[in-house]
Amino acid sequence: MQPSKNFLKKLPSTHKLLSSLEDEFPEIKADILKKLINQHLEQARENPALLNLAEKSKDEIEIALRSRLSDALRALQRGTLRKVINATGVVLHTGLGRAPIEPSWMESLKEISAYCNLELDLASGKRGQRNDHLSYLLRLLTGAEDGFAVNNNAAAVMLMLNTLGYQKEVIISRGEMIEIGGSFRLPEVMKASGCILREIGSTNKTHLRDYEETIHEQSGAILICHPSNYEVQGFTHKPALEEVVALAHDRGLPVIYDLGSGSMPETSHLAGGYEPEVNAIVRAGVDLISFSGDKLLGGPQAGIIVGKREYVQRCAQNHLLRALRLDKFMIKLLQQTLLQYFYKDSSQRILAHQALQASEQELKKRCENFLNALQPEFRKFFQIETTPGRVGSGAYPLLHLPGAALRLQSEKVKASRFSKLMRLQEPPVITYIEDEQVVLDLRTVLPQDEPILKEKVEKTLKELLARE
Ligand SMILES: *Cc1c(COP(=O)(O)O)cnc(C)c1O
């Protein structure tokens, strides 16, 4: 609908809005304020129905626009990336930033925030390598000869492929041609890395002889990919890793392994499931192995490469690394993550592991305590039920972690309204809806956030019931 001439005349001038906004935000540059004002005026012209401006008087329009502008600026100042409370029970939730990190670790970031010895060897005073801060720890923990880290596992895979397989054939089993969330598709990753894809075998069966018959002088490497987010079951076959490694080495080829989540002994056996351990893959003689820092490892976003020194060094000297390297903060956080694995109680020290290992009994108890703390009139809306928690991010695709959660059961409270209002709280609370009922899973709620969650549940229920 075209706004009437009359309405356009009632809109305040940029100048007028600017002077009142400058009074409220004297520290903000005038040209930023002007841009914001013009955007809002444009919106008002295009859509007078917004804020019911069309029916308002000249003064009312000005007041409405001013308060909208001031809300918008305050929201901008606060920043769009904010803390949320994860009540979904999905531990490695990609949308919510994957592995949660212990807030107290942030202290160590403050220490290095101004200057630090990122690329300075303090002993000799000479230029150092930023990866020196990680390689020793990675060697100790994984048993590999060498290791370092890049921006994420996708980058690690590209770097390994580009280093060993550029303009050569990289052999991969059809059963491992994976696609994982966020557009990581192996055929495309291979192409982008400059490799020629050489598929072998079939989706369900690949034999050693398929590898054997495919290796020739154009071959650069064999790639093995852990199918993180699915499982091939039934009439299947793949050769033992040791057999593939022996064959490759016999023919002078390196083996690259994209392990994905990459578990340490702490997380390799969860609830009856199994995720291959980095150390086991190293022991099998694989030349280069990559895995994520923010999946089962429980640290910041990073891609870790470990393996034989010769190949790790070749990756580290690839010019691509310049575009994939980590900054000081991620190196520090990753160092801190790796250090936790030195302690006997490592799983108590890593938030993701605490959440993954919480038992059904423990979670039931937490639910009971949560309900008991809730104002009595709201308790009746919830039921405690056994429900599976999920690992998330493709790790342990078929695994259901035995757990318990709170289910909101009420004729009066609509699930979609409740979950939306919870999402609009400060901090926002993210829940999930199952069978048209809201479920709150405390597995992923930090204990120190429980009182906040309780307050938000009460506030939201009060609001929804008052509207009845
Ligand atoms: C998750 C995953 C990746 C991508 O890792 P990011 O850290 O998300 O870049 C690659 N390969 C496998 C097998 C994965 O599971």
Side-chain angles (χ1 to χ4, degrees):
M1 197 184 72
Q2 282 291 320
S4 69
K5 274 221 177 77
N6 195 20
F7 170 72
L8 290 179
K9 263 201 238 154
K10 286 195 289 182
L11 284 178
S13 68
T14 308
H15 184 74
K16 198 154 186 205
L17 285 171
L18 180 62
S19 71
S20 73
L21 216 54
E22 272 184 318
D23 287 344
E24 199 182 339
F25 299 93
E27 72 281 17
I28 306 276
K29 288 178 182 164
D31 65 326
I32 298 285
L33 294 178
K34 258 190 231 161
K35 277 183 193 149
L36 210 73
I37 290 167
N38 288 336
Q39 273 172 14
H40 281 248
L41 281 173
E42 182 105 347
Q43 264 174 20
R45 268 181 230 115
E46 276 170 13
N47 185 9
L50 201 79
L51 298 169
N52 303 320
L53 289 181
E55 292 97 65
K56 289 190 161 79
S57 72
K58 194 166 179 231
D59 285 348
E60 285 170 338
I61 290 177
E62 189 182 328
I63 290 167
L65 277 174
R66 215 167 51 200
S67 102
R68 217 175 131 77
L69 273 161
S70 126
D71 287 351
L73 244 167
R74 289 196 194 287
L76 262 182
Q77 283 178 316
R78 197 175 30 170
T80 56
L81 186 59
R82 283 145 67 196
K83 167 198 175 119
V84 305
I85 292 179
N86 175 7
T88 66
V90 181
V91 179
L92 305 172
H93 195 304
T94 304
L96 306 183
R98 278 206 193 153
I101 290 181
E102 173 58 45
S104 65
W105 295 6
M106 296 304 133
E107 289 303 314
S108 70
L109 299 189
K110 287 186 193 160
E111 178 198 320
I112 58 158
S113 67
Y115 296 107
C116 63
N117 61 333
L118 182 62
E119 291 188 356
L120 175 70
D121 180 45
L122 290 173
S124 67
K126 293 208 176 88
R127 177 89 184 240
Q129 300 281 327
R130 65 181 64 207
N131 277 312
D132 289 348
H133 300 290
L134 296 170
S135 54
Y136 186 62
L137 293 179
L138 286 170
R139 269 152 53 197
L140 277 180
L141 281 174
T142 66
E145 288 176 11
D146 206 353
F148 69 106
V150 292
N151 191 43
N152 53 26
N153 187 37
V157 174
M158 289 188 77
L159 185 63
M160 297 189 299
L161 286 173
N162 182 268
T163 305
L164 298 189
Y166 186 70
Q167 293 192 339
K168 290 187 188 152
E169 283 185 6
V170 173
I171 302 167
I172 180 166
S173 158
R174 285 201 169 85
E176 295 168 2
M177 289 289 284
I178 59 162
E179 163 166 344
I180 55 174
S183 71
F184 181 94
R185 297 183 90 190
L186 258 192
E188 271 100 75
V189 170
M190 283 229 190
K191 210 152 123 199
S193 313
C195 306
I196 303 152
L197 173 69
R198 192 65 206 269
E199 290 174 83
I200 58 163
S202 62
T203 307
N204 55 333
K205 282 201 175 203
T206 298
H207 300 277
L208 192 64
R209 65 170 184 275
D210 295 319
Y211 284 102
E212 215 164 354
E213 287 161 5
T214 316
I215 298 174
H216 61 114
E217 53 298 349
Q218 260 304 299
S219 312
I222 290 177
L223 175 66
I224 297 178
C225 206
H226 179 56
S228 298
N229 50 4
Y230 70 98
E231 247 177 68
V232 183
Q233 290 185 342
F235 188 60
T236 68
H237 180 79
K238 59 181 185 183
L241 181 57
E242 284 79 1
E243 289 180 317
V244 179
V245 170
L247 170 69
H249 290 175
D250 186 48
R251 308 285 284 273
L253 270 192
V255 177
I256 303 172
Y257 203 128
D258 171 16
L259 196 48
S261 48
S263 60
M264 296 289 167
E266 284 83 348
T267 50
S268 56
H269 294 85
L270 273 185
Y274 175 70
E275 276 280 319
E277 265 172 47
V278 179
N279 299 44
I281 309 296
V282 170
R283 273 198 306 275
V286 171
D287 301 280
L288 281 178
I289 301 157
S290 77
F291 54 99
S292 297
D294 52 349
K295 289 185 181 171
L296 289 175
L297 194 71
Q301 178 187 302
I304 296 165
I305 296 177
V306 296
K308 305 267 171 68
R309 178 157 302 125
E310 173 200 346
Y311 294 111
V312 172
Q313 283 305 318
R314 274 173 63 187
C315 288
Q317 278 149 22
N318 188 325
H319 288 295
L320 259 183
L321 180 62
R322 185 63 182 75
L324 309 173
R325 69 184 189 187
L326 291 178
D327 78 327
K328 59 183 178 185
F329 293 119
M330 291 306 122
I331 290 177
K332 185 75 181 166
L333 275 182
L334 197 52
Q335 203 176 54
Q336 192 125 357
T337 308
L338 295 171
L339 270 169
Q340 307 309 315
Y341 286 90
F342 284 60
Y343 293 89
K344 288 178 181 160
D345 62 344
S346 54
S347 279
Q348 299 304 311
R349 295 164 161 265
I350 295 173
L351 282 184
H353 295 188
Q354 283 177 21
L356 289 168
Q357 288 165 1
S359 69
E360 188 179 314
Q361 221 175 1
E362 236 171 281
L363 290 166
K364 253 193 192 139
K365 192 83 207 138
R366 278 183 73 186
C367 288
E368 281 164 19
N369 292 343
F370 185 85
L371 282 191
N372 286 334
L374 215 56
Q375 286 171 20
E377 71 261 39
F378 297 132
R379 285 181 203 154
K380 61 174 185 287
F381 292 111
F382 291 98
Q383 260 196 353
I384 300 174
E385 61 169 28
T386 57
T387 188
R390 282 158 297 157
V391 180
S393 284
Y396 282 107
L398 305 180
L399 191 72
H400 294 297
L401 302 166
L406 294 162
R407 182 178 284 268
L408 176 64
Q409 283 176 319
S410 165
E411 299 282 292
K412 291 193 200 146
V413 179
K414 214 173 150 217
S416 57
R417 303 252 343 118
F418 182 86
S419 77
K420 182 178 174 195
L421 273 181
M422 290 289 275
R423 204 175 63 236
L424 297 177
Q425 298 295 324
E426 182 58 51
V429 179
I430 314 302
T431 60
Y432 77 95
I433 295 179
E434 190 185 71
D435 301 330
E436 295 177 38
Q437 287 175 329
V438 170
V439 180
L440 299 173
D441 194 333
L442 300 182
R443 179 190 295 279
T444 44
V445 177
L446 307 193
Q448 62 264 39
D449 284 343
E450 259 182 50
I452 309 173
L453 177 64
K454 177 183 105 56
E455 182 206 317
K456 300 304 175 198
V457 166
E458 288 169 349
K459 186 168 168 225
T460 303
L461 282 175
K462 222 172 264 166
E463 202 172 322
L464 286 176
L465 294 169
R467 281 188 207 171
E468 275 296 297

